[in-house]
Amino acid sequence: MPEVLTSRYLFGPGPSNCYPEVTAALAYPVIGHLDPVFIERLDRTCAGLRAVWGTRNARTLPLSATGSGGMEAAFVNTVSDGDVAVIAVNGLFGERMCEVARRCGATVVRVDHEWGQPVDAERVLAAHPHPKVIAAVHAETSTGVLSDVAPLGAGKGDALLIVDAVTSIGGLELLADDWGIDVGYAGTQKCLGAPPGLSPFTVSERAFERRIKEPRSWYLDIGLLGGYVGAASGSRTYHHTAPVTMIAGLEAGLDRILAEGLAAVQARHRAAGAELRDGLEAMGLELFAAEGSRLPSLTTVKVPDGVDSAAVRAYLLENFSMEIGSGAGAFTSTVWRIGMMGPNANRASVKLVLGALEEAIAKAYVSERRPGRRYR
């Protein structure tokens, strides 16, 4: 029998710990995906998603997929053979956008940025005169960078704007309609405080009218999915068996966030992020993401010279049942990613992480002085 964990402090890049209301909802009885109770629950969930997306889009729904499935849905419904996709790349998930768009047949125009820096909207908008889509990551999970996507929406012209909001939705300001986002996708496992498995997704009417009518993916066809949630006429067409329990959890998480108030939740995330950054710098550590563009929900910090990144993370896991993330790509062993998301975005979590990390780093230095032993 595998070990049964009673708890884990999830302070990595995701998943985060769940809101208690979400955990309780995951124990609801399983019901049919066409049950009237579930239909009402789905409608409430879609309404809650519109609130956190900052949109009135009728086709706003929880895709039965993780955030990566949302990414694929965004591109498979908007680009086909030869369509030009201008994609801002300032981290791993911008890289993935390029690969997904390429597999959908698009001609990809990359606009590369140094990892750790925000998206330069002027360079992105100047990259091609008439792209079908422009795409960028709002909150780059791999680097801890927050980019302003509103200028992309203002300057997109005839293009459709696709935005990844996986690490911002539910914890940071997100105004899809005001910012001109045409297609947005996200994940449930970060600031929304729910388990991974669903992708909050929104499509503007403009994007829906210009969609690929028969995309390569039947499962992710937004024309069919829109019918499933009754977006077209109020009537519903069967599409797939929805993950009823996951949607119950997401509904509970959205209710929890909206009861607290979006402004209050966002302020809580900002405060936790700022306190964590201040505490890390007070320990003598150097932050990775560019100053002025640092994510409140996910902080990236450089691993000190002489410290084994993996050993520190292992120590935290073994001694505190605490997870922080390694870096991504070329920064796997030189950066830590520390998330303060959902219910973890609070002062107590910050103090816990700072104290545990300080101890783990001290043990790692001891290990360097005493060959043959990882920790004292």
Side-chain angles (χ1 to χ4, degrees):
M1 291 281 296
E3 180 184 0
V4 177
L5 291 173
T6 56
S7 66
R8 203 62 119 186
Y9 294 112
L10 299 178
F11 296 122
S16 68
N17 293 104
C18 292
Y19 283 112
E21 295 88 345
V22 172
T23 303
L26 294 173
Y28 289 173
V30 174
I31 58 178
H33 61 285
L34 299 176
D35 188 302
V37 172
F38 173 71
I39 297 300
E40 182 180 354
R41 177 168 293 152
L42 179 60
D43 287 346
R44 282 176 50 80
T45 300
C46 292
L49 288 177
R50 289 186 191 95
V52 294
W53 268 113
T55 187
R56 298 176 65 184
N57 291 338
R59 294 171 182 84
T60 302
L61 66 154
L63 288 186
S64 303
T66 61
S68 294
M71 180 188 297
E72 186 146 348
F75 285 99
V76 79
N77 283 284
T78 57
V79 295
S80 190
D81 295 338
D83 290 335
V84 174
V86 172
I87 301 177
V89 179
N90 66 333
L92 175 64
F93 293 96
E95 296 268 6
R96 289 191 180 179
M97 280 183 163
C98 292
E99 177 62 9
V100 172
R102 182 192 68 79
R103 293 190 183 203
C104 291
T107 298
V108 175
V109 178
R110 292 174 57 117
V111 183
D112 284 292
H113 300 67
E114 181 182 352
W115 283 34
Q117 297 296 319
V119 169
D120 182 337
E122 289 188 9
R123 285 207 297 124
V124 174
L125 293 172
H128 193 278
H130 301 293
K132 175 72 180 294
V133 302
I134 297 170
V137 179
H138 182 221
E140 179 52 80
T141 313
S142 65
T143 62
V145 168
L146 181 67
S147 293
D148 185 1
V149 298
L152 295 176
K156 67 186 178 183
D158 194 46
L160 299 174
L161 177 60
I162 298 174
V163 169
D164 175 325
V166 170
T167 309
S168 53
I169 193 168
L172 282 65
E173 183 179 57
L174 188 57
L175 301 172
D177 289 353
D178 290 351
W179 295 349
I181 296 173
D182 291 292
V183 181
Y185 63 88
T188 49
Q189 72 274 20
K190 300 179 190 278
C191 298
L192 290 174
L198 296 173
S199 179
F201 195 81
T202 190
V203 183
S204 71
E205 194 62 33
R206 175 175 183 262
F208 185 75
E209 291 173 357
R210 298 176 56 190
R211 73 190 187 280
I212 306 300
K213 294 301 190 292
E214 291 190 357
R216 285 172 165 86
S217 172
W218 177 90
Y219 185 68
L220 298 174
D221 183 337
I222 58 174
L224 300 177
L225 289 167
Y228 179 65
V229 296
S233 61
S235 61
R236 298 176 193 271
T237 55
Y238 168 72
H239 181 258
H240 68 282
T241 302
V244 294
T245 301
M246 294 296 298
I247 290 172
L250 175 57
E251 178 198 29
L254 291 166
D255 285 349
R256 165 67 176 77
I257 289 167
L258 296 175
E260 183 178 349
L262 271 176
V265 171
Q266 292 165 8
R268 177 163 56 81
H269 279 79
R270 288 195 302 271
E275 188 170 351
L276 176 63
R277 293 193 298 271
D278 290 345
L280 292 168
E281 290 187 310
M283 290 169 56
L285 301 179
E286 183 181 355
L287 301 179
F288 177 75
E291 187 173 359
S293 298
R294 291 167 180 161
L295 268 176
S297 50
L298 181 68
T299 297
T300 46
V301 58
K302 295 181 181 180
V303 178
D305 292 339
V307 170
D308 184 332
S309 170
V312 167
R313 293 174 57 238
Y315 183 88
L316 293 173
L317 204 63
E318 294 165 8
N319 292 274
F320 292 92
S321 195
M322 178 186 296
E323 174 187 288
I324 67 170
S326 63
F331 303 97
T332 298
S333 61
T334 57
V335 167
W336 289 314
R337 293 182 292 164
I338 305 174
M340 290 288 149
M341 298 183 278
N344 294 342
N346 60 68
R347 174 165 288 183
S349 293
V350 173
K351 290 183 176 180
L352 178 61
V353 168
L354 292 174
L357 184 60
E358 187 170 29
E359 178 179 319
I361 291 172
K363 297 293 185 180
Y365 278 126
V366 168
S367 170
E368 287 292 315
R369 294 195 298 269
R370 299 177 65 181
R373 296 188 64 186
R374 290 176 66 191
Y375 301 108
R376 182 169 55 192

